[in-house]
Amino acid sequence: MNMVSLWRYPPQPELIETNTGLPSPKYFQLHPFFIWKPEHSIMERLRNNYILPCLYRCQNPNVVSSGVGRPRVILGITGQFYILASRLCCKACKRYWFADKPQWLDILPQRFRNILPAFLTHKKAICKTVMDELRRSGKSPNDMANQLSEVLHLKFERAHLAYLLSVQNVRDAEAGLYGQKTITGALRKDDTPAPFGDYGDTDGWNGVYVSAHYLIECLLHEYQRQEAALTQLLQGTFGQVFRSDHTRKVARKVTLLSGTMSSYAVMNENWMILFWVMLQSESEQSLESMYCGLSNRYSVAGIPKAKYQWVDRDCCAAFRVMDPGPYEHQQWEAWRTTEATVAEVTSGNLKNLHAACRKFNEDMVVKLDLFHCMRRFTRECVSEHHPLYGSFCQFLSSAFSVVDQGDLEKLKNAYRFCGIEPSNPTKLHIREHCRTKVPHPRELVQWVEEVLHHFYLAKDPNNIFLFKPSMLKLWWIQRIHILRGCLSDPEVEEGILYRYGGTLQLNHVKGDGAAVPIWIPVRGTSQQEGFHFHQAQWVTGNRVSPELFQAQGMTGVARWNYQRLVDLKQPGVVLPGVFDPVLMRVKQGIYKCDRATQISSLAHLQQGHRREVWPAICGARLSTCAS
Ligand SMILES: [Zn+2]
Ligand SMILES: [Zn+2]
């Protein structure tokens, strides 16, 4: 096979024979060329019988070469190269253009654009490798500009070194270092090596500088290319359980021109993001349109709506709590829950006004997230370093969650089967193999109250109370949530609170008796916290335009969701190895259109080969939208 390629590489300067002269610096810092001549015979196979179109769309185009254009410099991850495009002429309408003109590239079949190593716009050109790296790393344009600049300068410095070594090599041979002296030095008139020049010399190397601004433009352009596919993926994300929370992490880091305060995200049971917005006010009204849209998303797809939502605030109807008197917190009477208290807080209009209930699903069961509630308690301690802080947290956490006795009994049986005596499961085993539940309101109030009773007057050796006086008011507030059932776990089917993660043989002992189930908690804030951490990472730099913020945020969210699916390792679900929505969508389109490819992909499937099913499961509507 002939080695046909559109790439042209520069010579290796060290290998060029110099005869009598010292090496010339002009060969040492040269870059590859990519020849772009769609009209040329080198691209005959790609063209096939296709007739190149005229940029001006005339009826019977006759596109021929009309010389070469100016090389465009392209920045890649490993350095720069040039695209050398031909100048084209349509003989039918007598008009001219360059073969790398984006408007013309856009009318060419996909196979042409796909072999171009860069994305071209009317002003900018960026190598696909740079966009891949930006998308993969989520780096800020500033960091990326620094990285590219370093690569370019390192290449230059190495080329300079290569030149110096080549000169030295000639001199060493002439000095007889390798035995016999060469006589080339004697033949040379001028013995001074030519200066190598500086990186920025405009009449010399004219090294490229890359600015963050340039990369931002490229990134925005790439986002425009990806936007439809990203939106489709997000709109194809559903869930049966929601968890939502507010965070100021992003807003603290980034100054948005719009002056937004906090970010609000809704996740599903697999921690995939359904939507994420930046809020200017934390009032519920601002969320209405988002939940309307979400409701629409479910209706259009014909998917049953989520029934449960764990929130970080606004879990039930609003209420007011009086301020306690100055020393009230020192009298147990003030903490105690009476029947009158219970009656008072659980009567009247308890209708929840959460935006999700009003605009998404009026039967939505809204629950206050346990960890957010616990954090409210621990914040009312004087300090994390108070000696009693640790045991208070422990007591509180065991009051809020009870271990499923059936699961515990099963685990104990497995202990006995394996001959472990006494059969008291370790904390770690309980966490992995037993489900826990937040108890019913009356039970829960009693248990938390017992913990508070234990600690409400507790002091350290320096007579410092563990609780701030404000703990009493906090208890009055949280007690209402507890009594209204905002915290108690609903009776639900599997997959809402816990996901079954298969079984494990305890201590690697064989036999059914040693098999214990693995329960993966669906609730929990670690993934939520993880998301907030990532959110802040996607948006790098502390001043961004709304456009860039949108681009980085959308890409980040879609990528996050993709990673959740990878982590889930659902049986039968095969995901593409890389995250590039447009690439996937185009590939899917080809599979769908071409019967022969369909059949071969089916054959592949039957032979147990991989198939991309991400769009199929994540974007439930993807196939219908794309067709
Ligand atoms: Zn024409
Ligand atoms: Zn509540």
Side-chain angles (χ1 to χ4, degrees):
M1 194 179 75
N2 281 331
M3 292 308 241
V4 183
S5 171
L6 299 174
W7 286 99
R8 298 288 179 273
Y9 290 97
Q12 296 252 260
E14 295 89 336
L15 309 181
I16 297 174
E17 203 189 345
T18 56
N19 282 327
T20 58
L22 286 170
S24 160
K26 67 181 183 198
Y27 299 113
F28 280 81
Q29 168 73 339
L30 300 177
H31 310 287
F33 269 86
F34 185 82
I35 314 283
W36 185 242
K37 295 179 171 176
E39 82 293 352
H40 193 270
S41 62
I42 196 171
M43 287 178 75
E44 211 164 13
R45 285 299 292 270
L46 196 74
R47 252 192 342 264
N48 217 336
N49 289 330
Y50 175 73
I51 294 166
L52 289 178
C54 167
L55 177 65
Y56 302 95
R57 314 240 176 189
C58 66
Q59 284 306 307
N60 300 301
N62 183 8
V63 178
V64 295
S65 174
S66 170
V68 284
R70 224 159 55 105
R72 246 191 214 247
V73 64
I74 312 284
L75 279 176
I77 282 296
T78 55
Q80 75 196 69
F81 62 88
Y82 296 95
I83 286 185
L84 190 58
S86 44
R87 186 164 173 260
L88 299 176
C89 166
C90 173
K91 283 182 126 178
C93 66
K94 302 259 177 318
R95 292 209 255 194
Y96 297 84
W97 68 92
F98 292 109
D100 59 353
K101 195 173 175 73
Q103 288 89 329
W104 190 65
L105 291 173
D106 280 344
I107 28 180
L108 292 183
Q110 173 94 29
R111 62 178 186 274
F112 282 87
R113 280 188 310 259
N114 195 47
I115 65 164
L116 258 183
F119 296 120
L120 305 174
T121 70
H122 68 288
K123 279 196 298 208
K124 305 282 174 186
I126 194 85
C127 183
K128 287 174 179 170
T129 57
V130 174
M131 290 325 303
D132 292 345
E133 180 68 6
L134 267 172
R135 202 173 36 232
R136 189 196 67 79
S137 65
K139 266 190 182 159
S140 76
N142 231 330
D143 288 351
M144 196 66 191
N146 288 340
Q147 181 186 328
L148 291 179
S149 168
E150 187 157 336
V151 166
L152 293 173
H153 278 87
L154 271 174
K155 278 202 129 178
F156 173 80
E157 294 300 333
R158 292 214 177 98
H160 192 180
L161 176 64
Y163 173 63
L164 295 178
L165 289 175
S166 290
V167 172
Q168 198 181 45
N169 189 18
V170 173
R171 293 232 195 274
D172 283 350
E174 286 165 3
L177 200 74
Y178 310 129
Q180 202 177 10
K181 283 188 182 185
T182 50
I183 55 156
T184 49
L187 300 172
R188 204 161 41 230
K189 280 191 208 118
D190 186 4
D191 197 33
T192 335
F196 192 74
D198 288 328
Y199 183 84
D201 286 351
T202 38
D203 55 347
W205 302 122
N206 200 8
V208 182
Y209 291 92
V210 55
S211 69
H213 188 76
Y214 174 85
L215 287 178
I216 287 174
E217 274 190 40
C218 295
L219 207 132
L220 288 177
H221 184 258
E222 168 68 357
Y223 173 65
Q224 280 164 14
R225 214 176 63 84
Q226 298 263 358
E227 191 176 9
L230 289 171
T231 308
Q232 216 168 44
L233 282 177
L234 274 178
Q235 284 175 347
T237 309
F238 300 92
Q240 287 313 299
V241 181
F242 290 170
R243 61 201 64 248
S244 60
D245 72 344
H246 300 74
T247 172
R248 299 202 180 188
K249 242 193 198 108
V250 184
R252 264 203 301 268
K253 182 171 177 182
V254 188
T255 321
L256 282 166
L257 299 172
S258 51
T260 46
M261 293 167 52
S262 67
S263 106
Y264 180 82
V266 174
M267 290 179 161
N268 69 10
E269 59 272 33
N270 297 322
W271 299 292
M272 293 166 80
I273 304 299
L274 273 82
F275 73 74
W276 168 29
V277 281
M278 297 298 289
L279 303 174
Q280 258 168 323
S281 91
E282 293 197 355
S283 81
E284 281 291 305
Q285 270 84 15
S286 55
L287 293 172
E288 283 182 1
S289 54
M290 294 311 299
Y291 279 102
C292 276
L294 198 58
S295 169
N296 225 4
R297 189 194 294 183
Y298 275 73
S299 312
V300 169
I303 287 177
K305 289 195 178 152
K307 289 192 297 259
Y308 301 97
Q309 178 159 8
W310 272 267
V311 298
D312 60 342
R313 38 179 290 183
D314 305 309
C315 50
C316 54
F319 54 81
R320 285 191 94 92
V321 166
M322 306 258 285
D323 281 325
Y327 295 101
E328 227 180 325
H329 63 278
Q330 291 178 12
Q331 288 141 31
W332 179 242
E333 252 335 278
W335 299 77
R336 239 167 48 82
T337 308
T338 61
E339 284 305 317
T341 332
V342 179
E344 187 195 334
V345 303
T346 53
S347 59
N349 186 8
L350 298 179
K351 192 156 171 50
N352 193 336
L353 294 177
H354 194 278
C357 299
R358 279 180 296 125
K359 301 291 171 186
F360 178 73
N361 179 4
E362 54 177 7
D363 298 325
M364 181 72 102
V365 177
V366 178
K367 295 279 173 186
L368 178 59
D369 183 81
L370 176 63
F371 298 88
H372 280 102
C373 176
M374 298 242 281
R375 206 177 297 163
R376 293 178 190 171
F377 277 101
T378 53
R379 265 204 305 252
E380 299 306 322
C381 291
V382 289
S383 152
E384 290 173 30
H385 306 296
H386 194 285
L388 295 170
Y389 179 81
S391 48
F392 171 65
C393 293
Q394 247 175 20
F395 275 63
L396 195 66
S397 132
S398 44
F400 271 109
S401 51
V402 283
V403 176
D404 185 293
Q405 291 306 302
D407 286 351
L408 190 62
E409 205 44 52
K410 252 186 229 157
L411 184 59
K412 282 183 178 169
N413 287 338
Y415 263 63
R416 283 185 212 110
F417 183 88
C418 299
I420 308 170
E421 284 295 337
S423 59
N424 294 329
T426 60
K427 261 194 187 147
L428 197 75
H429 277 151
I430 292 177
R431 199 185 308 154
E432 261 183 46
H433 308 300
C434 301
R435 288 163 291 185
T436 60
K437 232 176 162 189
V438 183
H440 291 299
R442 298 298 291 266
E443 203 180 332
L444 182 57
V445 129
Q446 189 189 336
W447 286 358
V448 177
E449 196 172 293
E450 272 170 32
V451 175
L452 294 173
H453 190 214
H454 188 82
F455 286 98
Y456 84 109
L457 290 177
K459 296 178 194 170
D460 73 356
N462 299 323
N463 260 343
I464 298 190
F465 283 109
L466 172 65
F467 290 172
K468 295 178 193 164
S470 51
M471 179 70 96
L472 178 59
K473 185 173 181 189
L474 186 272
W475 165 233
W476 287 352
I477 296 169
Q478 299 315 310
R479 184 167 65 187
I480 298 177
H481 293 301
I482 292 175
L483 287 168
R484 285 178 172 183
C486 296
L487 281 134
S488 305
D489 278 336
E491 296 296 331
V492 289
E493 61 274 32
E494 191 198 306
I496 304 268
L497 295 171
Y498 282 90
R499 206 172 61 234
Y500 178 64
T503 59
L504 180 134
Q505 298 298 124
L506 201 65
N507 281 7
H508 306 288
V509 175
K510 289 201 176 76
D512 285 347
V516 283
I518 300 169
W519 292 111
I520 302 163
V522 169
R523 199 174 39 192
T525 46
S526 61
Q527 289 280 343
Q528 236 162 8
E529 297 296 326
F531 174 64
H532 297 325
F533 174 76
H534 277 267
Q535 263 180 324
Q537 292 251 304
W538 299 329
V539 187
T540 35
N542 44 25
R543 281 195 81 83
V544 287
S545 68
E547 292 80 17
L548 183 61
F549 188 85
Q550 178 76 6
Q552 290 183 307
M554 282 283 281
T555 314
V557 165
R559 208 184 160 81
W560 165 276
N561 285 354
Y562 164 73
Q563 196 55 45
R564 300 289 74 70
L565 284 175
V566 171
D567 292 349
L568 266 181
K569 295 193 182 78
Q570 284 166 311
V573 173
V574 187
L575 299 163
V578 287
F579 174 75
D580 186 333
V582 166
L583 195 68
M584 264 170 347
R585 196 158 74 148
V586 170
K587 275 175 71 186
Q588 219 193 17
I590 293 174
Y591 271 111
K592 256 203 340 231
C593 296
D594 185 37
R595 244 186 71 77
T597 330
Q598 266 173 15
I599 292 163
S600 80
S601 78
L602 208 71
H604 250 67
L605 203 67
Q606 279 154 359
Q607 289 157 18
H609 283 284
R610 296 174 60 88
R611 190 178 64 130
E612 291 171 6
V613 296
W614 177 39
I617 53 162
C618 175
R621 306 295 300 163
L622 195 72
S623 48
T624 36
C625 294
S627 57

